[in-house]
Amino acid sequence: MIPYGRQFIDQDDIEAVLNVLKSDWLTTGPKVDEFEEKVCEFVGARYAVAVSSGTAALHCAMFAIGIKPGDEVIIPPMTFAATANCVVFQGGKPVIVDVAQDTLLIDPVCIKEIMSPKTRAIIAVDYTGHPCDYDTITDISKSNKIPLVADACHSLGAKYKGKLVGSLADLSVLSFHPVKHITTAEGGMILTDNKEYYERMRLFRNHGIKTDHRQREKQGSWIYEMTELGYNYRITDIQCALGITQLHKLPEFLSKRRAIAKKYDKAFAEIESIQPLFVQNYVQHAYHLYVVRLKKGKSEKDRSQIFREMREKGVGVNVHYIPVHLHPYYRRKFNTVEGLCPVSETAYEEIISLPMHPNLSDDETNRVIDTLIKAGSA
Ligand SMILES: *Cc1c(COP(=O)(O)O)cnc(C)c1O
């Protein structure tokens, strides 16, 4: 089976991890600082906080901006559940608004319409690796004096009007899960230029305690004070060592993903029943995912049938995502129903994610293309 996503690990990744295992610090040591500095340097952000997952990173961001019970946060439905869950972790309510027809990215018009005095933040999701319309969304967040959070778990390395993702919102969240651009097995990070947010997130990842073990060791002191209620969201030095060697390979990973996307684009350009998502000319896409819409009525088969056939032929297609508001938890807790986001719901019936990762060979890419064309245009 050709997987839809997969990590790329080589010898220098392995050696970096082994070296940490032989060192003094397995967790919260020098590799955490080094990884944070290197990602900051890469994306052009002032501060970074590395944590145990992308989900923990989203939770840190919600804590940093002070989301509390009664607060509302605007999010799109075409995302992983964690984008909504992080709001609920803090007692807030995710307000789910629809996406644009062509890109399936959060629609700024829908954001404006739903804005209320209870709205405390917007989370824009760079779905598939295509940056959202940051100029327009930043205008809305600024004029309403609320922070803009980028869920950039898909878009490390992408550019919006020449600027790298990570520097486009008040806070930007990354994930280092194995299917993402670079991996630490599990891991995440928040990027910001705001010192106050940075300091709050450092507290939050370590139980709300002001100093870490290494700082106390240096000062020869046992005293620590817990000033906020935090979690153990720490990432280990073992993981950050892997993150550092992975980051060195990021430019190469990105160009491989972009080359595969180009092949897919070309192969499907003339086929009416297979429509890749639209890409704005002002972005450089990072292609975490390559999503096509299998247009209803253009083929005799629907998405579910084509999905099954692809899997039977060894092509590990996937579907991203079931719109968040249709999950049983959200239906039950916030009474969300079908019809809330019609564009997303229609898209959900048609989308399929094709294999996309730096290990995908030319032969495999061709096999994906041939299999889809055979299954989808019959
Ligand atoms: C992967 C992902 C997350 C969560 O990241 P984890 O590291 O798996 O916790 C959040 N949002 C989006 C859009 C993601 O793709």
Side-chain angles (χ1 to χ4, degrees), residues 236-257:
T236 65
D237 263 41
I238 304 169
Q239 292 168 296
C240 288
L242 178 56
I244 293 162
T245 49
Q246 287 271 299
L247 187 64
H248 292 153
K249 293 184 268 275
L250 177 59
E252 196 188 320
F253 290 165
L254 285 164
S255 58
K256 281 195 176 168
R257 285 175 182 272

Side-chain angles (χ1 to χ4, degrees), residues 52-58 78-84 125-128 151-154 173-180 185-188 288-289 320-321:
S52 53
S53 71
T55 304
L58 282 164
M78 297 303 286
T79 187
F80 183 54
T83 314
V125 179
D126 298 336
Y127 174 67
T128 72
D151 181 335
C153 290
H154 292 187
V173 172
L174 303 176
S175 163
F176 307 125
H177 180 277
V179 297
K180 304 289 163 71
E186 295 282 357
H288 162 57
L289 299 174
H320 299 90
Y321 293 93

